[in-house]
Amino acid sequence: MQLCSAPVLTQRLQLALLGMATECTDPCMGGTQSQALNPDGHYGALASGRCVPSSASASWSLPRWRAYLAAAVLCYINLLNYMNWFIIPGVLLDVQKYFHISDSHAGLLQTVFIGCLLVSAPVFGYLGDRHSRKATLSFGILLWSGAGLSSSFISYQYCWLFFLSRGAVGTGAASYSTIAPTVLGDLFVKDQRTCVLAVFYIFIPVGSGLGYVLGSVVAELTGNWRWALRIMPCLDALALVLLILLVPDIPRGAAEKQGEVAVGAPRSSWCEDVRYLGKNWSFVFSTLGVTAIAFVTGALGFWAPKFLFEARVVHGLQLPCFQEQCGSQDSLIFGALTVATGIIGVILGAEASRRYKKVNPRAEPLICASSLFATAPCLYLALILASRTLLASYVFLALGELLLSCNWAVVADILLSVVVPRCRGTAEALQITVAHILGDAGSPYLTGLISSVLQTGRPNSYLQRFLSLQHSFLCCVFAIVLGGGCFLLTALHLERDQAQARQSGKGTLGSKDVASRNTEHQGLLSGTSTPAKKPILQ
């Protein structure tokens, strides 16, 4: 048994209790030694080069098959999440007839959904960075499934209650959209993370397309659009069971061996996290780029089925809808296009990113910028040609959706690479909030409002309704070009922010933090340690 003096042992106990040290081997203690903070801002091994953190405290192991199984469950829930987003747009004409609402009020329906989502996203981001992510995800699933089921029983006299129920569904969806990507980020790293995120984000367009398909098919089979809202809770219940049984509550930064215990830094406040993210220019500009994408996808996702329906009426291929049960062919076509182009686009974007960043470290934002610049002319041609030839309009619409889908996995990989693990939940929440406030929270309502305003000065005919909606869509073309410019700005800052994120993950602190920690460290040792003449047995 080896002996150590009382002052040394006392100092080490003080540092351990204050969370200012991690564990490594020490010949004197026979087991552990405190890793104190040096003037350069490093702990232990980084300070002296002599100690290596214990693997038990620095990492959290999970069998590979369990990680992939958990990822599969999260992908399934993501599918259901986006089906709930777009099941109403799939039966929008029926909803408008049932509740007797105009285009502007119908657009407000999606705005309420997104508005509640963006208001609650920062709350879930805060909870996801500090509390059990599994419990938060479970609460979100319960909320959106319960609200969706109850909304199917609302009478047409209580239109306002239907709007509120969609807001509750949006609140539940916020928990999943905010937290699930951070769980995947803590399960996988590097190329594995890119591939898994690609699969995860495939289910955004797939879920969106299946939402259109489910809504329109169920309405067609049952003669009542509300049955689509009653089927979804059954699938949600299965998702909740799988989440509870198969998805572990993973420590933050586990896959990168940057858990909070290993780093040894105290938990920062939410305001400190926000200040850090506000100075992270890659995060700021990529968030603005995602906002432009959200603006376009929000408007297209909500109004495209009705736009295609009215285009077919103008071409004489479809009779106008004067009753509650309207034709579902356009929702089916648009849903199928969304699914197919989404799968192909996400795979192409992820694979291009994986290959191109081997030769260019700025590949990810450059791919996003290129795809958005190419989307703009495709979307413009799809809108303009709809009044002349439907086939060409469908072709360019499919190309535009394909190019937009190339961004989903890539933008998520950008965020995870430039933000430290302890802030990723907050970063996801802020990105979702900004993207929805300036993006798809207002774009469906703005598009419907412009359409309604244009209709007031025109004859009341299907042709003029179609032209009004067509012209209101043109604002999306300008938004997508602005998004491409934001991703070019992201490319200018990407390498620097990635290096800072890696440095922070290894335990390096900012200069102010280092100074304050060293001052506190020296004060504690000088003010509390007392000499002892007799050695203490350990």
Side-chain angles (χ1 to χ4, degrees):
M1 182 176 296
Q2 294 178 323
L3 302 178
C4 282
S5 63
V8 174
L9 183 59
T10 303
Q11 292 171 8
R12 288 168 182 159
L13 288 174
Q14 291 169 344
L15 292 174
L17 289 172
L18 292 169
M20 297 176 60
T22 54
E23 301 290 324
C24 69
T25 58
D26 175 21
C28 175
M29 298 295 289
T32 61
Q33 170 188 339
S34 297
Q35 297 186 39
L37 191 68
N38 76 347
D40 295 327
H42 296 279
Y43 290 96
L46 295 173
S48 64
R50 291 184 288 104
C51 287
V52 179
S54 169
S55 61
S57 64
S59 63
W60 185 84
S61 60
L62 185 71
R64 178 172 295 184
W65 67 270
R66 283 288 310 278
Y68 282 110
L69 185 61
V73 173
L74 293 175
C75 288
Y76 169 68
I77 303 174
N78 199 37
L79 174 75
L80 300 183
N81 183 24
Y82 279 89
M83 287 177 70
N84 277 287
W85 277 46
F86 290 96
I87 198 168
I88 293 298
V91 291
L92 181 59
L93 287 169
D94 297 326
V95 173
Q96 283 186 274
K97 295 293 181 182
Y98 181 76
F99 287 108
H100 307 292
I101 54 178
S102 64
D103 283 354
S104 60
H105 287 91
L108 188 61
L109 187 65
Q110 190 76 346
T111 299
V112 170
F113 175 92
I114 300 298
C116 291
L117 185 147
L118 65 89
V119 168
S120 54
V123 177
F124 287 119
Y126 178 88
L127 295 174
D129 279 343
R130 290 160 178 80
H131 302 285
S132 170
R133 290 182 285 189
K134 187 173 180 178
T136 308
L137 292 173
S138 301
F139 170 77
I141 296 174
L142 284 173
L143 181 59
W144 88 50
S145 60
L149 177 62
S150 62
S151 67
S152 68
F153 297 99
I154 296 175
S155 175
Y156 71 91
Q157 296 101 328
Y158 301 99
C159 178
W160 60 271
L161 192 56
F162 187 77
F163 277 69
L164 289 180
S165 69
R166 291 303 296 169
V169 174
T171 301
S175 68
Y176 197 79
S177 299
T178 301
I179 296 174
T182 69
V183 176
L184 291 175
D186 289 333
L187 281 171
F188 304 95
V189 292
K190 298 181 180 179
D191 284 348
Q192 279 186 334
R193 175 190 289 168
T194 301
C195 294
V196 171
L197 284 174
V199 175
F200 181 79
Y201 282 100
I202 279 176
F203 289 96
I204 291 181
V206 171
S208 304
L210 290 180
Y212 295 116
V213 172
L214 178 67
S216 59
V217 169
V218 171
E220 187 76 22
L221 293 177
T222 62
N224 190 336
W225 60 271
R226 286 168 290 187
W227 275 104
L229 298 176
R230 297 167 186 170
I231 290 176
M232 285 303 301
C234 302
L235 303 175
D236 295 334
L238 175 61
L240 181 60
V241 172
L242 293 176
L243 175 70
I244 294 172
L245 296 179
L246 301 179
V247 178
D249 219 348
I250 306 159
R252 294 156 187 84
E256 296 150 311
K257 296 180 176 63
Q258 293 175 4
E260 292 168 339
V261 175
V263 174
R267 174 68 252 179
S268 59
S269 69
W270 186 81
C271 292
E272 290 171 339
D273 290 348
V274 172
R275 282 196 296 270
Y276 157 72
L277 293 171
K279 297 176 182 178
N280 188 323
W281 291 111
S282 295
F283 171 77
V284 171
F285 287 123
S286 64
T287 297
L288 294 176
V290 172
T291 301
I293 298 174
F295 185 93
V296 176
T297 54
L300 278 179
F302 195 79
W303 290 111
K306 182 176 181 179
F307 175 76
L308 296 172
F309 176 87
E310 293 187 346
R312 290 199 301 117
V313 172
V314 169
H315 283 278
L317 303 175
Q318 172 74 44
L319 293 175
C321 177
F322 296 113
Q323 54 186 1
E324 182 184 330
Q325 189 61 38
C326 301
S328 59
Q329 180 179 351
D330 303 287
S331 294
L332 286 173
I333 294 174
F334 185 72
L337 280 178
T338 303
V339 171
T341 57
I343 293 173
I344 298 171
V346 171
I347 293 174
L348 285 178
E351 185 62 18
S353 172
R354 188 183 69 83
R355 291 177 180 271
Y356 187 33
K357 67 184 176 184
K358 292 179 180 178
V359 296
N360 188 342
R362 301 176 179 179
E364 291 162 326
L366 292 177
I367 288 173
C368 292
S370 302
S371 65
L372 293 188
F373 286 138
T375 299
C378 292
L379 182 58
Y380 177 79
L381 291 173
L383 296 172
I384 296 302
L385 294 175
S387 59
R388 295 177 174 85
T389 166
L390 273 178
L391 179 60
S393 179
Y394 275 118
V395 170
F396 283 109
L397 182 62
L399 286 175
E401 284 202 287
L402 176 69
L403 292 167
L404 279 176
S405 298
C406 291
N407 296 278
W408 292 119
V410 182
V411 295
D413 217 5
I414 291 174
L415 184 148
L416 293 174
S417 69
V418 300
V419 176
V420 295
R422 65 179 174 81
C423 294
R424 285 175 182 165
T426 300
E428 288 281 356
L430 288 178
Q431 188 170 89
I432 288 172
T433 301
V434 173
H436 290 319
I437 288 176
L438 303 177
D440 53 355
S443 63
Y445 176 68
L446 180 63
T447 304
L449 180 63
I450 294 174
S451 176
S452 296
V453 170
L454 292 175
Q455 286 178 33
T456 57
R458 297 177 177 179
N460 186 17
S461 66
Y462 248 87
L463 175 61
Q464 295 304 321
R465 292 181 194 175
F466 165 76
L467 292 175
S468 298
L469 191 56
Q470 179 191 58
H471 295 159
S472 66
F473 263 131
L474 293 177
C475 60
C476 296
V477 178
F478 297 100
I480 212 69
V481 173
L482 292 176
C486 290
F487 280 114
L488 289 181
L489 293 174
T490 303
L492 297 178
H493 301 274
L494 184 72
E495 292 180 273
R496 185 197 66 185
D497 291 333
Q498 285 178 333
Q500 289 179 351
R502 287 192 295 267
Q503 187 181 28
S504 298
K506 291 177 181 176
T508 303
L509 301 175
S511 58
K512 293 182 180 179
D513 294 331
V514 171
S516 62
R517 300 277 167 78
N518 281 336
T519 302
E520 182 181 1
H521 174 82
Q522 293 169 1
L524 284 169
L525 295 184
S526 62
T528 59
S529 58
T530 55
K533 296 181 180 180
K534 295 183 179 180
I536 298 176
L537 290 178
Q538 181 182 5

